């Protein structure tokens, strides 16, 4: 196969995954439209999900995992496109801190995503063509509303836990605010109750990179048989830097050169860090839809939980009975400890039951996806003591 | 009495049956809302939940302490008495407890005022630096006292604001707190009777537990 053919095949695979995913799908017909914050609604629509473990007879042991910006529902199984292990397989699985021998774990691809839930690469029934930018803008609350419909589909009244980091953490907070009676415990990692100006700025850089690529074709690249590969890679490269930290980058790459003894006095990838970022950009394009990237980043930008409650974040959680666990990471500059603490303070002010831990690490925002023993023991202790309180049987 | 919590945090965890815990538990009404500031590994909070069925919350500086609390099923926030109490609403708790932590705060007076804003009552326990052994140690050895119960050297101690029972009572008067109850314990861990004068307490009380009201 030529390089171009491989690219085309991967492009097809990605488009296929968006429409006919390697995941179970629940389809919601015209009788069950998804009401959207933008004032419109989405119908019909579908949700692709993965589940692990068994739902008990009382349906009391369900844990919903909410994925991050470029994550998906493949939490603890091999990824159908990349062939890599699930993105949280170190945390979720048999005998893991979120023990699938004890809990029924559910994760849905978010609305607006590209792994099987309705998103910009899905076919618009009105035109028979991909939605592209005709898909209404999706918010975090919209994603959560769709997940609630999926949870209804399983006949689950109350989730034992809703767990997520970053954009997933935003969904966790939204869940607890929108459906306080349906969330027994909430675990939100490396997140905030709103997206900061700096974070919006980085997202805008990424979106502009995508839209500046001529292959983007005003969003109609699937029909045009192109893909804004360059634009999306650059977006990913810029974003990836924000997921790490200065210390971690220097520890990992320093000023080391890539396969050469001296700099080339040119603009090749002389440094290892350049080579690494280029690789991150290229591999991302194979598994992620460019328009989805626009929708996901927008959803995070629009998130501001206090805004809907007269700028009083505590009011978003008034009277809540949910038990919260919030964790931040000391070197995270995307969602610094202060942003996480603001949530904790609001929960305190609302009289909520809240625990908070700041994990000391130099691995930046991405630490929530990595093997961080302190985070694991915190989550495990919190989840298992709450499970005792909820009367969920041990495996 | 044993090693202090706060910065030492979980290092004190294996030390069970702190005498002030039993006293504090006897002072708390059943079913109360309680905030334990500097809760260490959560031993006191767990005791209060089991014995008094309280709705308990904790604040703890050390990561190890916080994780141990989580494993006990306690609600605990990693944070600092000096900087984080301002975020709690007025009168959110029936009791705010500061056990063996006051002397490790940067601004004890401000912390105590915050306790009385957040809680209807504040329960404060602290080691009495006016105890005769402390006095003798300084008088005869000419060095800062290092005892079994207060094992730190002056340069590495988290306890930066020691006080005596006299000093503490004076501060409560300055901030206008009402002294509702007080218990002192001698070196043998026995409660001293209430009708003794302050001077006697200050000399023989190895640690003190005070209940204050706004």
């Amino acid at each position: 196969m030529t390089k171009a053919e491989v690219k085309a095949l991967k492009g097809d695979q990605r488009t296929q995954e968006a429409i006919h995913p390697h995941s179970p799908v629940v389809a919601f017909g015209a009788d069950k439209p998804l009401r959207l914050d933008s004032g419109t609604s989405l119908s019909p629509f579908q949700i692709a999900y993965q589940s692990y473990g068994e739902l008990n007879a009382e349906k009391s042991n369900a844990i919903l995992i909410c994925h991050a910006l470029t994550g998906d529902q493949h939490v603890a199984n091999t990824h159908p496109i990349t062939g890599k292990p699930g993105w949280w397989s170190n945390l979720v699985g048999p005998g893991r801190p979120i023990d699938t021998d004890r809990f029924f774990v559910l994760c849905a691809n978010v609305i607006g995503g590209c792994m099987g839930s309705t998103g910009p690469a899905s076919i618009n029934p009105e035109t028979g063509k991909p939605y592209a930018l005709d898909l209404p803008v999706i918010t975090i609350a919209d994603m959560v509303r769709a997940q609630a419909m999926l949870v209804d589909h399983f006949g689950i009244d109350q989730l034992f836990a809703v767990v997520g980091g970053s954009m997933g953490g935003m969904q966790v907070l939204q869940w607890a605010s929108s459906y306080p009676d349906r969330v027994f415990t909430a675990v939100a990692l490396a997140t905030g109750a709103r997206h900061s100006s700096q974070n919006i700025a980085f997202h805008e850089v990424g979106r502009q990179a995508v839209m500046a690529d001529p292959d983007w074709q005003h969003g109609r690249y699937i029909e045009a048989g192109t893909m804004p590969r360059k634009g999306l890679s650059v977006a990913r490269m810029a974003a990836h830097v924000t997921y790490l930290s200065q210390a971690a980058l220097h520890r990992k790459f320093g000023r080391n050169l890539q396969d050469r003894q001296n700099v080339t006095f040119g603009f090749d990838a002389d440094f290892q860090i350049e080579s690494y970022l280029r690789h991150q950009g290229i591999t991302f394009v194979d598994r992620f839809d460019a328009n989805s990237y626009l929708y996901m980043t927008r959803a995070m930008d629009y998130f501001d939980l206090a805004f809907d409650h007269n700028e009083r974040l505590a009011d978003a959680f008034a009277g809540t009975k949910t038990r919260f666990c919030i964790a931040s990471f000391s070197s995270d500059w995307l969602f610094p400890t202060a942003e996480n603490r603001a949530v904790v303070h609001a929960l305190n002010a609302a009289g909520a039951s809240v625990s908070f831990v700041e994990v000391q690490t130099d691995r930046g925002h991405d630490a929530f996806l990595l093997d961080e023993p302190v985070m694991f023991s915190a989550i495990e202790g919190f989840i298992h003591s709450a499970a005792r309180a909820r009367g969920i049987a041990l495996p | 009495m044993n090693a202090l919590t706060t910065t030492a945090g979980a290092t004190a965890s294996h030390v069970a049956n702190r005498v002030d815990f039993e006293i504090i538990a006897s002072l708390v009404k059943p079913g109360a809302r309680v905030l334990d500031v500097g809760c260490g590994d959560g031993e006191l909070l767990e005791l209060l939940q089991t014995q008094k069925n309280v709705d308990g919350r904790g604040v703890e500086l050390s990561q190890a302490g916080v994780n141990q609390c989580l494993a006990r099923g306690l609600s605990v926030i990693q944070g600092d008495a000096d900087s984080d109490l301002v975020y709690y609403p007025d009168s959110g708790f029936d009791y705010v407890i500061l056990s063996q932590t006051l002397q490790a705060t940067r601004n004890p007076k401000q912390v105590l005022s915050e306790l009385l804003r957040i809680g209807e009552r504040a329960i404060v326990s602290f080691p009495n630096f006016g105890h005769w052994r402390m006095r003798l140690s300084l008088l005869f050895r000419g060095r800062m006292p290092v005892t079994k119960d207060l094992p730190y050297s002056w340069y590495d101690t988290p306890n930066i604001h020691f006080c005596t029972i006299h000093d503490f009572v004076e501060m409560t008067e300055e901030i206008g707190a009402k002294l509702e109850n007080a218990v002192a314990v001698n070196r043998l861990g026995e409660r001293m009777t209430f009708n003794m004068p302050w001077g006697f307490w200050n000399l023989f009380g190895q640690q003190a537990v005070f209940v204050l009201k706004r």
Side-chain angles (χ1 to χ4, degrees):
Chain A
M1 261 195 299
T2 65
K3 227 175 172 179
E5 281 170 336
V6 171
K7 273 186 186 174
L9 186 71
K10 280 185 171 164
D12 283 350
Q13 209 183 344
R14 197 184 45 242
T15 311
Q16 275 303 306
E17 203 59 46
I19 299 165
H20 303 294
H22 283 85
S23 288
V25 164
V26 179
F28 295 89
D31 55 324
K32 286 182 177 170
L34 176 63
R35 188 170 57 75
L36 300 175
D37 281 352
S38 61
T40 55
S41 61
L42 189 62
S43 177
F45 74 101
Q46 68 178 36
I47 300 179
Y49 68 92
Q50 290 292 127
S51 69
Y52 314 89
E54 300 289 329
L55 188 60
N56 63 14
E58 304 81 44
K59 300 190 173 184
S60 65
N61 69 334
I63 295 183
L64 179 73
I65 307 260
C66 301
H67 70 72
L69 175 69
T70 64
D72 51 41
Q73 68 274 31
H74 301 287
V75 176
N77 56 272
T78 306
H79 195 277
I81 296 180
T82 65
K84 287 185 180 164
W87 56 271
W88 234 357
S89 47
N90 52 5
L91 185 77
V92 179
R96 300 276 181 191
I98 294 181
D99 188 351
T100 51
D101 289 336
R102 189 176 196 185
F103 304 108
F104 172 67
V105 176
L106 190 62
C107 182
N109 187 211
V110 296
I111 295 295
C114 54
M115 290 298 285
S117 293
T118 299
S122 307
I123 302 298
N124 181 349
E126 282 178 23
T127 62
K129 292 174 184 167
Y131 273 106
L133 299 197
D134 290 341
L135 185 80
V137 165
I138 303 295
T139 66
I140 299 291
D142 295 337
M143 295 172 182
V144 166
R145 218 174 285 120
Q147 287 161 4
M149 292 169 79
L150 179 70
V151 171
D152 288 340
H153 169 83
F154 279 95
I156 299 165
D157 287 334
Q158 190 195 48
L159 291 161
F160 165 65
V162 184
V163 183
S166 196
M167 187 181 91
M170 289 177 165
Q171 294 165 61
V172 171
L173 299 178
Q174 186 70 57
W175 256 103
S177 179
S178 298
Y179 306 101
D181 300 333
R182 303 192 71 177
V183 183
F184 187 73
T185 60
V187 180
L189 314 170
T191 194
R194 57 168 191 195
H195 219 211
S196 70
S197 185
Q198 178 173 269
N199 291 356
I200 295 169
F202 278 116
H203 276 173
E204 175 60 1
V205 169
R207 284 189 295 264
Q208 287 302 326
V210 170
M211 295 191 284
D213 188 331
D215 283 343
W216 181 59
Q217 303 273 356
H218 298 281
R220 295 263 158 222
Y221 49 84
I222 295 177
E223 293 142 275
T226 60
M227 169 76 186
R229 307 184 71 86
K230 287 266 162 54
L232 185 58
S233 315
V234 170
R236 177 62 167 178
M237 287 166 76
H240 198 80
V241 178
T242 70
Y243 304 151
L244 307 171
S245 74
Q246 207 257 11
L249 277 176
H250 201 76
R251 174 166 52 73
K252 222 166 149 184
F253 304 105
R255 291 183 50 82
N256 300 339
L257 299 179
Q258 180 71 25
D259 303 328
R260 63 200 69 187
Q261 298 301 315
N262 295 298
V263 296
T264 59
F265 293 94
F267 298 99
D268 218 12
D270 278 350
F271 293 98
Q272 278 181 9
I273 178 62
E274 296 174 300
S275 173
Y276 169 79
L277 279 183
R278 287 182 189 193
H279 175 76
Q280 290 296 329
I282 291 163
T283 51
F284 181 61
V285 170
D286 289 334
R287 70 172 179 88
F288 212 84
D289 177 62
N291 284 337
S292 236
Y293 193 76
L294 305 182
Y295 278 87
M296 296 296 96
T297 53
R298 210 57 180 148
M300 288 181 80
D301 292 352
Y302 279 2
F303 188 62
D304 183 357
L305 205 46
F307 181 79
D308 301 331
H309 297 87
N310 300 318
E311 299 292 343
R312 276 186 52 87
L313 185 56
D315 290 353
F317 304 109
T320 183
K321 298 254 189 315
T322 303
R323 301 166 177 226
F324 290 84
C325 179
I326 312 284
S328 71
F329 299 86
S330 57
S331 54
D332 183 351
W333 55 287
L334 208 54
F335 290 95
T337 290
E339 292 282 326
N340 290 270
R341 264 192 196 282
V343 176
V344 174
H345 294 149
L347 287 165
N348 273 340
S353 165
V354 52
S355 292
F356 169 72
V357 61
E358 182 189 32
V359 178
Q360 295 297 320
T361 174
D362 76 349
R363 300 203 277 188
H365 182 62
D366 263 359
F368 85 90
L369 296 167
L370 304 173
D371 179 26
E372 287 286 349
V374 169
M375 172 185 80
F376 283 8
S377 88
I379 291 177
E380 185 163 23
F382 178 77
I383 288 282
H384 284 270
S385 60
R388 273 199 307 276
R390 186 76 181 83
I392 298 171
L394 283 161
Chain B
M1 192 184 99
N2 290 296
L4 305 169
T5 46
T6 320
T7 45
T11 58
S13 65
H14 53 279
V15 185
N17 303 320
R18 266 175 46 173
V19 64
D20 62 322
F21 285 0
E22 297 294 338
I23 295 169
I24 291 167
S26 73
L27 296 169
V28 169
K29 288 199 183 90
R33 283 176 55 83
V34 174
L35 178 68
D36 184 1
V37 179
C39 63
D41 65 357
E43 192 186 337
L44 174 61
L45 271 178
E46 193 173 53
L47 184 80
L48 290 172
Q49 283 192 347
T50 329
Q51 287 190 1
K52 293 293 177 86
N53 192 31
V54 302
D55 179 3
R57 309 287 160 84
V59 176
E60 171 59 27
L61 199 55
S62 80
Q63 190 148 69
V66 170
N67 275 21
Q68 283 166 313
C69 288
L70 289 177
R72 289 180 195 248
L74 302 167
S75 292
V76 62
I77 289 170
Q78 189 169 15
D80 189 334
D82 281 298
S83 52
D84 291 340
L85 295 178
V86 292
Y87 297 104
Y88 286 84
D90 295 354
S91 307
F93 294 91
D94 299 314
Y95 300 92
V96 183
I97 296 169
L98 195 67
S99 79
Q100 309 290 348
T101 299
L102 182 72
Q103 75 283 353
T105 62
R106 283 190 298 278
N107 195 337
K109 195 169 162 183
Q110 191 190 318
V111 168
L112 196 60
S113 303
E114 284 294 316
L115 297 187
L116 288 164
R117 178 185 65 78
I118 299 166
E120 294 294 329
R121 288 178 173 81
I123 302 181
V124 182
S125 76
F126 58 91
N128 174 27
F129 222 66
H131 187 255
W132 63 269
R133 282 167 68 91
M134 299 287 188
R135 300 190 198 195
L136 285 184
S137 176
L138 199 55
L139 182 63
F140 290 113
R141 293 179 68 235
R143 289 169 179 274
M144 287 301 283
V146 176
T147 66
K148 185 159 61 53
D149 301 328
L150 297 171
Y152 302 97
S153 297
W154 66 272
Y155 48 80
D156 67 359
T157 181
N159 304 315
I160 53 176
H161 280 127
F162 275 124
C163 67
T164 70
I165 288 176
H166 267 320
D167 295 331
F168 182 79
V169 171
E170 197 175 286
M171 181 173 74
T172 63
E173 284 162 4
E174 274 179 43
I175 63 172
K178 285 192 206 87
L179 219 169
E180 195 177 72
N181 200 346
V183 179
V185 178
N186 67 20
R187 9 192 322 244
L188 305 169
E190 295 160 346
R191 283 192 192 209
M192 295 164 66
T193 47
F194 204 10
N195 52 15
M196 292 175 183
W198 283 128
F200 190 84
W201 277 41
N202 199 24
L203 193 58
F204 292 105
Q206 195 171 50
Q207 54 178 319
V209 183
F210 282 83
V211 182
L212 305 172
K213 232 183 150 217
R214 251 174 269 165

